[in-house]
Coordinates of all heavy atoms in Angstrom, one line a residue:
V1 N 91.9 94.6 122.9 CA 91.5 95.4 121.6 C 91.5 94.4 120.5 O 90.6 94.5 119.7 CB 92.5 96.5 121.5 CG1 92.2 97.2 120.1 CG2 92.4 97.5 122.7
R2 N 92.4 93.6 120.4 CA 92.4 92.7 119.2 C 91.2 91.8 119.1 O 90.6 91.6 118.1 CB 93.7 91.8 119.3 CG 93.9 90.9 118.1 CD 95.2 90.1 118.3 NE 95.6 89.6 117.0 CZ 96.6 89.9 116.2 NH1 97.3 90.9 116.7 NH2 96.9 89.4 115.1
N3 N 90.7 91.3 120.3 CA 89.6 90.4 120.3 C 88.3 91.2 119.9 O 87.5 90.7 119.2 CB 89.4 89.8 121.7 CG 88.5 88.7 121.8 OD1 88.1 88.1 120.8 ND2 88.0 88.4 123.0
E4 N 88.2 92.4 120.4 CA 87.1 93.3 120.0 C 87.1 93.5 118.4 O 86.1 93.5 117.8 CB 87.1 94.6 120.8 CG 86.8 94.4 122.2 CD 86.8 95.8 123.0 OE1 86.7 96.8 122.4 OE2 87.1 95.7 124.2
W5 N 88.2 93.8 117.9 CA 88.4 94.0 116.5 C 88.0 92.7 115.8 O 87.3 92.8 114.7 CB 89.8 94.3 116.2 CG 90.0 94.7 114.7 CD1 90.8 94.0 113.8 CD2 89.5 95.8 114.0 NE1 90.7 94.5 112.5 CE2 90.0 95.6 112.6 CE3 88.7 96.9 114.3 CZ2 89.6 96.6 111.6 CZ3 88.5 97.8 113.3 CH2 88.9 97.7 112.0
S6 N 88.3 91.5 116.2 CA 88.0 90.3 115.5 C 86.4 90.1 115.5 O 85.9 89.7 114.5 CB 88.7 89.1 116.2 OG 90.0 89.2 116.1
R7 N 85.8 90.5 116.6 CA 84.4 90.4 116.8 C 83.7 91.3 115.8 O 82.6 91.0 115.2 CB 83.8 90.6 118.2 CG 84.1 89.3 119.1 CD 83.4 89.5 120.4 NE 84.2 90.3 121.1 CZ 84.0 90.8 122.3 NH1 82.8 90.7 122.9 NH2 84.9 91.6 123.0
Y8 N 84.3 92.6 115.7 CA 83.7 93.6 114.8 C 83.7 93.0 113.3 O 82.8 93.2 112.6 CB 84.4 94.9 115.0 CG 84.0 95.9 113.9 CD1 82.7 96.6 114.1 CD2 84.8 96.3 112.9 CE1 82.4 97.5 113.2 CE2 84.4 97.1 111.9 CZ 83.2 97.8 112.1 OH 82.8 98.7 111.1
I9 N 84.9 92.5 113.0 CA 85.1 92.1 111.6 C 84.0 90.9 111.4 O 83.4 90.8 110.3 CB 86.5 91.6 111.3 CG1 87.4 92.9 111.3 CG2 86.7 90.8 110.1 CD1 88.9 92.6 111.3
S10 N 83.9 90.0 112.3 CA 83.0 88.8 112.2 C 81.6 89.3 112.0 O 80.8 88.9 111.2 CB 83.1 88.0 113.4 OG 82.2 86.9 113.3
F11 N 81.2 90.4 112.8 CA 79.9 91.0 112.7 C 79.7 91.6 111.4 O 78.6 91.3 110.7 CB 79.7 92.0 113.8 CG 78.4 92.7 113.7 CD1 77.2 92.1 114.2 CD2 78.3 94.0 113.2 CE1 76.0 92.8 114.0 CE2 77.1 94.7 113.1 CZ 76.0 94.1 113.5
M12 N 80.6 92.3 110.8 CA 80.5 92.9 109.5 C 80.4 91.8 108.4 O 79.6 92.1 107.5 CB 81.7 93.9 109.3 CG 81.7 95.0 110.2 SD 80.2 96.0 110.2 CE 80.2 96.8 108.6
E13 N 81.2 90.8 108.5 CA 81.1 89.7 107.5 C 79.7 89.1 107.5 O 79.1 88.8 106.5 CB 82.2 88.7 107.8 CG 83.5 89.2 107.4 CD 84.6 88.1 107.7 OE1 84.3 87.1 108.3 OE2 85.8 88.4 107.3
E14 N 79.2 88.9 108.7 CA 77.8 88.2 108.8 C 76.8 89.2 108.2 O 75.8 88.7 107.6 CB 77.5 87.9 110.2 CG 78.3 86.7 110.8 CD 77.8 86.3 112.2 OE1 76.8 86.8 112.7 OE2 78.7 85.6 112.8
D15 N 76.9 90.4 108.5 CA 76.0 91.4 108.0 C 76.0 91.5 106.4 O 75.0 91.5 105.8 CB 76.2 92.8 108.5 CG 75.2 93.9 108.1 OD1 74.0 93.5 108.4 OD2 75.5 94.9 107.8
K16 N 77.2 91.4 105.9 CA 77.4 91.3 104.4 C 76.8 90.1 103.8 O 76.2 90.1 102.8 CB 78.9 91.4 104.1 CG 79.2 91.5 102.6 CD 80.6 91.5 102.4 CE 81.1 90.1 102.1 NZ 82.5 89.9 101.8
D17 N 77.0 88.9 104.6 CA 76.5 87.6 104.1 C 75.0 87.7 104.1 O 74.4 87.2 103.2 CB 76.9 86.5 105.1 CG 78.4 86.2 105.0 OD1 79.1 86.8 104.0 OD2 78.9 85.5 105.8
K18 N 74.3 88.3 105.1 CA 72.8 88.4 105.1 C 72.3 89.1 103.9 O 71.3 88.8 103.3 CB 72.3 89.1 106.3 CG 72.5 88.3 107.5 CD 72.0 89.0 108.8 CE 72.3 88.3 110.1 NZ 72.0 89.1 111.2
K19 N 73.0 90.2 103.4 CA 72.6 91.0 102.3 C 72.8 90.1 101.0 O 71.9 90.1 100.1 CB 73.4 92.3 102.1 CG 73.0 93.2 103.2 CD 73.9 94.5 103.1 CE 73.6 95.4 104.3 NZ 74.5 96.5 104.3
I20 N 73.9 89.4 100.9 CA 74.1 88.6 99.7 C 73.1 87.4 99.7 O 72.6 87.1 98.6 CB 75.6 87.9 99.8 CG1 76.6 89.1 99.5 CG2 75.7 86.9 98.7 CD1 78.0 88.7 99.7
V21 N 72.7 86.8 100.8 CA 71.8 85.7 100.8 C 70.4 86.1 100.2 O 69.8 85.4 99.4 CB 71.5 85.2 102.2 CG1 70.4 84.3 102.3 CG2 72.8 84.5 102.7
K22 N 70.1 87.4 100.4 CA 68.8 87.8 99.9 C 68.9 88.1 98.4 O 67.9 88.0 97.7 CB 68.4 89.2 100.6 CG 67.9 89.0 102.0 CD 67.5 90.4 102.5 CE 67.0 90.2 104.0 NZ 66.6 91.5 104.5
D23 N 70.0 88.4 97.9 CA 70.1 88.8 96.5 C 70.7 87.8 95.5 O 70.2 87.8 94.4 CB 71.1 90.1 96.4 CG 70.6 91.3 97.1 OD1 69.4 91.4 97.3 OD2 71.4 92.1 97.6
N24 N 71.5 86.9 96.0 CA 72.2 86.1 95.0 C 72.2 84.6 95.5 O 72.8 84.3 96.5 CB 73.6 86.6 94.8 CG 74.4 85.8 93.7 OD1 74.1 84.7 93.4 ND2 75.3 86.5 93.1
T25 N 71.6 83.7 94.7 CA 71.5 82.4 95.1 C 72.8 81.6 95.1 O 73.1 80.9 96.1 CB 70.5 81.6 94.2 OG1 69.2 82.2 94.3 CG2 70.3 80.2 94.6
I26 N 73.7 81.8 94.1 CA 74.9 81.1 94.0 C 75.8 81.6 95.2 O 76.4 80.7 95.9 CB 75.6 81.3 92.7 CG1 74.7 80.7 91.6 CG2 77.0 80.7 92.7 CD1 75.2 80.9 90.2
E27 N 75.9 82.8 95.4 CA 76.7 83.3 96.5 C 76.3 82.9 97.8 O 77.0 82.6 98.7 CB 76.9 84.9 96.4 CG 78.0 85.4 95.7 CD 79.4 84.8 96.1 OE1 79.8 84.9 97.2 OE2 80.1 84.3 95.2
S28 N 74.9 82.9 98.0 CA 74.4 82.5 99.3 C 74.6 81.0 99.5 O 74.9 80.7 100.8 CB 72.9 82.8 99.3 OG 72.2 82.0 98.5
I29 N 74.6 80.2 98.6 CA 75.0 78.8 98.8 C 76.4 78.7 99.2 O 76.8 77.9 100.1 CB 74.7 77.9 97.5 CG1 73.2 77.9 97.3 CG2 75.3 76.5 97.7 CD1 72.4 77.3 98.4
N30 N 77.3 79.4 98.6 CA 78.7 79.4 99.0 C 78.9 79.9 100.4 O 79.7 79.4 101.1 CB 79.5 80.3 98.1 CG 79.7 79.7 96.7 OD1 79.6 78.5 96.5 ND2 79.9 80.5 95.6
I31 N 78.1 80.9 100.8 CA 78.2 81.4 102.2 C 77.7 80.3 103.2 O 78.3 80.0 104.2 CB 77.4 82.7 102.4 CG1 78.0 83.8 101.7 CG2 77.2 83.0 103.8 CD1 77.2 85.0 101.5
A32 N 76.6 79.6 102.8 CA 76.0 78.6 103.6 C 77.0 77.3 103.7 O 77.2 76.8 104.9 CB 74.8 78.0 103.1
I33 N 77.8 77.1 102.7 CA 78.8 76.0 102.7 C 79.9 76.5 103.6 O 80.4 75.6 104.4 CB 79.2 75.7 101.3 CG1 78.1 74.9 100.5 CG2 80.5 74.8 101.3 CD1 78.3 74.8 99.0
K34 N 80.3 77.7 103.5 CA 81.4 78.2 104.4 C 80.9 78.0 105.9 O 81.7 77.6 106.7 CB 81.6 79.7 104.1 CG 82.6 80.3 105.1 CD 82.8 81.8 104.6 CE 81.7 82.6 105.3 NZ 81.9 84.1 105.2
Y35 N 79.7 78.4 106.3 CA 79.2 78.2 107.6 C 79.2 76.8 108.0 O 79.6 76.4 109.1 CB 77.8 78.8 107.8 CG 77.6 80.2 107.8 CD1 76.6 80.9 107.2 CD2 78.5 81.0 108.5 CE1 76.4 82.2 107.3 CE2 78.4 82.4 108.6 CZ 77.4 83.0 108.0 OH 77.2 84.4 108.1
Y36 N 78.8 75.9 107.1 CA 78.8 74.4 107.2 C 80.2 73.9 107.6 O 80.3 73.2 108.5 CB 78.2 73.7 106.0 CG 78.2 72.3 106.1 CD1 77.2 71.6 106.7 CD2 79.2 71.6 105.5 CE1 77.2 70.2 106.8 CE2 79.3 70.2 105.6 CZ 78.3 69.5 106.2 OH 78.3 68.1 106.3
K37 N 81.1 74.3 106.8 CA 82.5 73.8 107.0 C 83.1 74.3 108.3 O 83.9 73.8 108.9 CB 83.3 74.3 105.8 CG 83.1 73.4 104.6 CD 84.0 73.9 103.4 CE 83.7 73.0 102.2 NZ 84.6 73.4 101.1
N38 N 82.6 75.5 108.8 CA 83.1 76.0 110.0 C 82.2 75.6 111.2 O 82.3 76.1 112.3 CB 83.1 77.6 110.0 CG 84.2 78.1 109.0 OD1 85.3 77.5 109.1 ND2 83.9 79.1 108.3
K39 N 81.3 74.6 110.9 CA 80.5 74.0 111.9 C 79.5 75.0 112.6 O 79.0 74.9 113.7 CB 81.3 73.3 113.1 CG 82.1 72.2 112.5 CD 82.8 71.4 113.5 CE 83.7 70.3 112.7 NZ 84.4 69.5 113.7
K40 N 79.1 76.1 111.8 CA 78.1 77.0 112.2 C 76.8 76.5 111.6 O 76.3 77.2 110.7 CB 78.4 78.4 111.8 CG 79.7 78.9 112.6 CD 79.9 80.4 112.2 CE 81.2 80.8 112.9 NZ 81.5 82.2 112.6
Y41 N 76.4 75.3 112.0 CA 75.3 74.7 111.3 C 74.0 75.4 111.3 O 73.2 75.4 110.4 CB 75.0 73.2 111.9 CG 76.3 72.3 111.7 CD1 77.0 71.8 112.9 CD2 76.8 72.0 110.5 CE1 78.0 71.0 112.7 CE2 77.9 71.3 110.3 CZ 78.5 70.7 111.4 OH 79.6 69.9 111.3
D42 N 73.7 76.2 112.4 CA 72.4 76.8 112.5 C 72.3 77.9 111.4 O 71.3 78.1 110.8 CB 72.2 77.4 113.9 CG 73.4 78.3 114.4 OD1 74.5 78.1 113.9 OD2 73.1 79.3 115.2
K43 N 73.4 78.6 111.2 CA 73.4 79.7 110.1 C 73.3 79.0 108.8 O 72.6 79.5 107.9 CB 74.6 80.5 110.3 CG 74.6 81.3 111.5 CD 75.9 82.2 111.6 CE 75.9 83.0 112.9 NZ 77.0 83.9 113.0
A44 N 74.1 78.0 108.6 CA 74.0 77.2 107.3 C 72.7 76.7 107.0 O 72.1 76.8 105.9 CB 75.1 76.1 107.3
I45 N 72.1 76.0 108.0 CA 70.6 75.4 107.7 C 69.7 76.5 107.4 O 68.8 76.2 106.6 CB 70.3 74.6 109.0 CG1 71.2 73.3 109.0 CG2 68.8 74.2 109.0 CD1 71.1 72.5 110.2
E46 N 69.7 77.6 108.0 CA 68.8 78.7 107.8 C 68.8 79.0 106.3 O 67.8 79.2 105.7 CB 69.2 79.9 108.6 CG 68.2 81.1 108.4 CD 68.7 82.2 109.3 OE1 69.2 82.0 110.5 OE2 68.5 83.4 108.8
I47 N 70.0 79.2 105.8 CA 70.2 79.5 104.3 C 69.8 78.3 103.4 O 69.1 78.5 102.4 CB 71.6 79.9 104.0 CG1 72.0 81.2 104.8 CG2 71.8 80.2 102.5 CD1 73.4 81.6 104.7
F48 N 70.3 77.1 103.8 CA 69.9 75.9 103.0 C 68.4 75.7 102.9 O 67.9 75.4 101.8 CB 70.5 74.7 103.6 CG 72.0 74.6 103.5 CD1 72.8 74.0 104.4 CD2 72.6 75.0 102.3 CE1 74.2 73.9 104.3 CE2 74.0 75.0 102.1 CZ 74.8 74.4 103.1
K49 N 67.7 76.0 104.0 CA 66.2 75.9 104.0 C 65.6 76.9 103.1 O 64.7 76.5 102.3 CB 65.6 76.0 105.4 CG 65.8 74.8 106.3 CD 65.1 75.0 107.6 CE 65.2 73.9 108.5 NZ 64.5 74.1 109.9
E50 N 66.0 78.1 103.2 CA 65.4 79.1 102.3 C 65.7 78.7 100.8 O 64.7 78.8 100.0 CB 66.0 80.5 102.6 CG 65.5 81.6 101.8 CD 66.2 83.0 102.1 OE1 66.7 83.1 103.1 OE2 66.2 83.8 101.1
K51 N 66.9 78.4 100.5 CA 67.2 78.1 99.0 C 66.6 76.8 98.6 O 66.3 76.6 97.4 CB 68.7 78.2 98.9 CG 69.3 79.6 99.2 CD 68.5 80.7 98.4 CE 69.1 82.0 98.8 NZ 68.4 83.1 98.2
A52 N 66.5 75.8 99.4 CA 65.9 74.5 99.1 C 64.5 74.7 98.8 O 64.0 74.0 97.9 CB 66.1 73.5 100.3
S53 N 63.8 75.6 99.5 CA 62.4 75.8 99.2 C 62.3 76.5 97.8 O 61.2 76.4 97.2 CB 61.7 76.7 100.2 OG 62.3 78.0 100.2
L54 N 63.3 77.1 97.3 CA 63.3 77.7 96.0 C 63.8 76.7 94.9 O 64.1 77.0 93.8 CB 64.1 78.9 95.9 CG 63.6 80.1 96.8 CD1 64.7 81.2 96.8 CD2 62.3 80.6 96.3
N55 N 63.9 75.5 95.3 CA 64.3 74.3 94.4 C 65.8 74.3 94.0 O 66.1 73.7 93.0 CB 63.4 74.3 93.2 CG 63.0 72.9 92.8 OD1 63.0 72.0 93.7 ND2 62.6 72.7 91.6
D56 N 66.6 74.8 94.9 CA 68.1 74.8 94.6 C 68.6 73.4 95.0 O 68.4 73.0 96.1 CB 68.8 75.9 95.4 CG 70.2 75.9 95.1 OD1 71.0 74.9 95.6 OD2 70.7 76.9 94.4
K57 N 69.1 72.7 94.1 CA 69.5 71.2 94.3 C 70.7 71.1 95.3 O 70.8 70.2 96.0 CB 69.9 70.6 93.0 CG 68.8 70.6 92.0 CD 67.5 69.9 92.5 CE 66.5 69.9 91.3 NZ 65.2 69.5 91.9
V58 N 71.7 72.1 95.2 CA 72.8 72.0 96.2 C 72.3 72.2 97.6 O 72.7 71.5 98.5 CB 73.8 73.0 95.7 CG1 75.0 73.1 96.8 CG2 74.4 72.7 94.4
A59 N 71.4 73.2 97.8 CA 70.9 73.5 99.1 C 70.1 72.3 99.6 O 70.2 71.9 100.7 CB 70.0 74.7 99.1
Q60 N 69.3 71.6 98.7 CA 68.5 70.5 99.1 C 69.5 69.4 99.5 O 69.2 68.6 100.5 CB 67.7 70.0 97.9 CG 66.5 71.0 97.6 CD 65.8 70.7 96.4 OE1 66.2 69.9 95.5 NE2 64.6 71.2 96.2
F61 N 70.6 69.1 98.8 CA 71.5 68.1 99.1 C 72.1 68.4 100.6 O 72.1 67.5 101.4 CB 72.6 68.0 98.1 CG 73.8 67.2 98.6 CD1 73.7 65.7 98.6 CD2 74.9 67.7 99.2 CE1 74.7 64.9 99.0 CE2 76.0 66.9 99.6 CZ 75.8 65.5 99.5
Y62 N 72.6 69.6 100.8 CA 73.3 69.8 102.1 C 72.3 69.8 103.3 O 72.5 69.4 104.3 CB 73.9 71.2 102.0 CG 75.4 71.1 101.6 CD1 75.7 71.4 100.2 CD2 76.4 70.8 102.4 CE1 77.0 71.4 99.7 CE2 77.7 70.7 101.9 CZ 78.0 71.0 100.6 OH 79.2 70.9 100.2
L63 N 71.0 70.3 102.9 CA 70.0 70.2 104.0 C 69.7 68.8 104.3 O 69.6 68.4 105.6 CB 68.8 71.0 103.5 CG 67.7 71.2 104.6 CD1 68.1 71.9 105.8 CD2 66.5 71.9 104.0
G64 N 69.6 68.0 103.4 CA 69.3 66.6 103.6 C 70.4 65.9 104.4 O 70.2 65.1 105.3
Y65 N 71.6 66.2 104.0 CA 72.8 65.7 104.6 C 72.8 66.1 106.1 O 73.2 65.3 107.0 CB 74.1 66.2 104.0 CG 75.3 65.4 104.3 CD1 75.6 64.2 103.8 CD2 76.2 65.9 105.3 CE1 76.7 63.5 104.2 CE2 77.4 65.3 105.6 CZ 77.6 64.0 105.1 OH 78.7 63.3 105.4
C66 N 72.5 67.3 106.4 CA 72.4 67.8 107.8 C 71.4 67.1 108.6 O 71.5 66.7 109.8 CB 72.1 69.3 107.9 SG 73.5 70.3 107.3
Y67 N 70.2 66.9 108.0 CA 69.2 66.1 108.7 C 69.5 64.7 108.9 O 69.3 64.0 109.9 CB 67.8 66.2 107.9 CG 67.0 67.4 108.2 CD1 66.7 68.3 107.3 CD2 66.5 67.5 109.4 CE1 66.0 69.4 107.5 CE2 65.6 68.6 109.8 CZ 65.4 69.6 108.8 OH 64.7 70.7 109.1
Y68 N 70.1 64.1 107.9 CA 70.6 62.7 108.0 C 71.6 62.4 109.1 O 71.6 61.4 109.8 CB 71.2 62.2 106.7 CG 71.5 60.7 106.6 CD1 70.6 59.8 106.4 CD2 72.8 60.3 106.8 CE1 70.9 58.5 106.3 CE2 73.2 59.0 106.8 CZ 72.2 58.0 106.5 OH 72.5 56.7 106.5
N69 N 72.5 63.4 109.2 CA 73.5 63.2 110.2 C 73.3 64.0 111.6 O 74.1 63.9 112.5 CB 74.9 63.7 109.7 CG 75.4 62.8 108.5 OD1 75.7 61.6 108.8 ND2 75.5 63.2 107.3
G70 N 72.3 64.8 111.6 CA 72.0 65.5 112.8 C 72.9 66.7 113.0 O 73.1 67.1 114.2
Y71 N 73.3 67.3 112.0 CA 74.2 68.5 112.1 C 73.4 69.7 112.3 O 72.7 70.2 111.3 CB 75.1 68.7 110.9 CG 76.2 67.6 110.7 CD1 76.5 67.2 109.4 CD2 76.7 66.9 111.7 CE1 77.5 66.2 109.2 CE2 77.6 65.9 111.6 CZ 78.0 65.6 110.3 OH 79.0 64.6 110.1
G72 N 73.3 70.2 113.5 CA 72.5 71.5 113.7 C 71.0 71.3 113.8 O 70.3 72.2 114.1
V73 N 70.6 70.1 113.5 CA 69.1 69.7 113.6 C 69.0 68.3 114.2 O 70.0 67.6 114.3 CB 68.4 69.8 112.3 CG1 68.3 71.2 111.7 CG2 69.1 68.9 111.3
K74 N 67.8 68.0 114.6 CA 67.6 66.7 115.2 C 67.6 65.7 113.9 O 67.1 66.1 112.9 CB 66.2 66.6 115.8 CG 65.8 65.4 116.4 CD 64.5 65.4 117.1 CE 64.0 64.1 117.6 NZ 62.7 64.1 118.3
K75 N 68.1 64.5 114.1 CA 68.1 63.6 113.1 C 66.7 63.2 112.7 O 66.0 62.6 113.5 CB 68.9 62.3 113.5 CG 70.4 62.3 113.3 CD 70.9 60.9 113.6 CE 72.4 60.9 113.4 NZ 73.0 59.6 113.7
I76 N 66.3 63.5 111.5 CA 65.0 63.1 110.9 C 65.2 62.5 109.6 O 65.4 63.3 108.6 CB 64.1 64.4 111.0 CG1 64.0 65.0 112.3 CG2 62.7 63.9 110.4 CD1 63.2 66.3 112.3
F77 N 65.2 61.2 109.5 CA 65.5 60.6 108.2 C 64.5 60.9 107.2 O 64.8 61.0 106.0 CB 65.6 59.0 108.4 CG 66.8 58.7 109.3 CD1 66.6 58.1 110.5 CD2 68.1 58.9 108.8 CE1 67.7 57.8 111.3 CE2 69.1 58.6 109.7 CZ 69.0 57.9 110.9
Y78 N 63.2 61.1 107.5 CA 62.2 61.5 106.6 C 62.5 62.8 105.9 O 62.4 62.9 104.7 CB 60.8 61.6 107.3 CG 59.7 62.2 106.4 CD1 59.1 61.4 105.4 CD2 59.4 63.5 106.5 CE1 58.2 62.0 104.5 CE2 58.4 64.1 105.7 CZ 57.8 63.3 104.8 OH 56.9 63.9 103.9
E79 N 63.0 63.8 106.7 CA 63.3 65.0 106.1 C 64.6 65.0 105.3 O 64.8 65.7 104.3 CB 63.6 66.0 107.3 CG 62.4 66.6 108.0 CD 61.4 67.4 107.1 OE1 62.0 68.1 106.2 OE2 60.2 67.3 107.3
A80 N 65.5 64.0 105.7 CA 66.8 63.9 104.9 C 66.5 63.4 103.5 O 67.2 63.8 102.6 CB 67.7 62.9 105.7
F81 N 65.5 62.6 103.3 CA 65.2 62.1 102.0 C 64.1 62.7 101.2 O 63.7 62.3 100.2 CB 65.0 60.5 102.1 CG 66.1 59.8 102.5 CD1 66.3 59.3 103.8 CD2 67.2 59.5 101.6 CE1 67.4 58.6 104.2 CE2 68.3 58.9 102.1 CZ 68.4 58.4 103.4
K82 N 63.6 63.8 101.8 CA 62.4 64.5 101.2 C 62.8 65.2 100.0 O 63.9 65.7 99.8 CB 62.0 65.5 102.3 CG 60.6 66.1 102.1 CD 60.2 66.8 103.3 CE 59.0 67.7 103.1 NZ 58.8 68.5 104.2

């Protein structure tokens, strides 16, 4: 039961995170950084890509860092310095 409860809470947090990402750039970057620090790179990169395309400098930095080091993506140096 405890494990199911933990999964439910995790699911609800992710759902809340998705709503914030759509609405608030600063909060969404904080959420992406949280994913990054927890090594959930695929979720972090999804947010970083979206916000980097909107010219967010922090998102661009983290996205480049992920490409440079191959965190959640294939190492592509060209993308890292783009």
Side-chain angles (χ1 to χ4, degrees):
V1 174
R2 183 181 198 106
N3 194 17
E4 289 179 26
W5 182 249
S6 296
R7 280 189 280 172
Y8 174 76
I9 290 173
S10 177
F11 174 77
M12 294 305 291
E13 285 178 352
E14 286 181 21
D15 189 48
K16 183 181 96 178
D17 290 349
K18 286 179 187 176
K19 290 176 185 172
I20 291 172
V21 167
K22 288 184 178 180
D23 298 334
N24 187 331
T25 299
I26 295 171
E27 268 307 304
S28 64
I29 294 299
N30 289 337
I31 291 167
I33 292 170
K34 178 182 77 171
Y35 285 142
Y36 175 85
K37 287 181 179 180
N38 290 320
K39 298 183 180 181
K40 295 182 178 180
Y41 300 121
D42 55 333
K43 292 179 182 182
I45 287 171
E46 183 180 324
I47 298 169
F48 289 144
K49 281 184 179 179
E50 180 183 333
K51 299 307 174 183
S53 71
L54 298 173
N55 221 19
D56 184 288
K57 302 300 182 199
V58 175
Q60 290 172 344
F61 169 79
Y62 274 97
L63 185 59
Y65 194 78
C66 288
Y67 275 113
Y68 185 80
N69 291 294
Y71 295 149
V73 292
K74 184 177 177 181
K75 276 188 181 183
I76 304 174
F77 295 114
Y78 170 79
E79 288 292 328
F81 293 103
K82 195 170 166 185

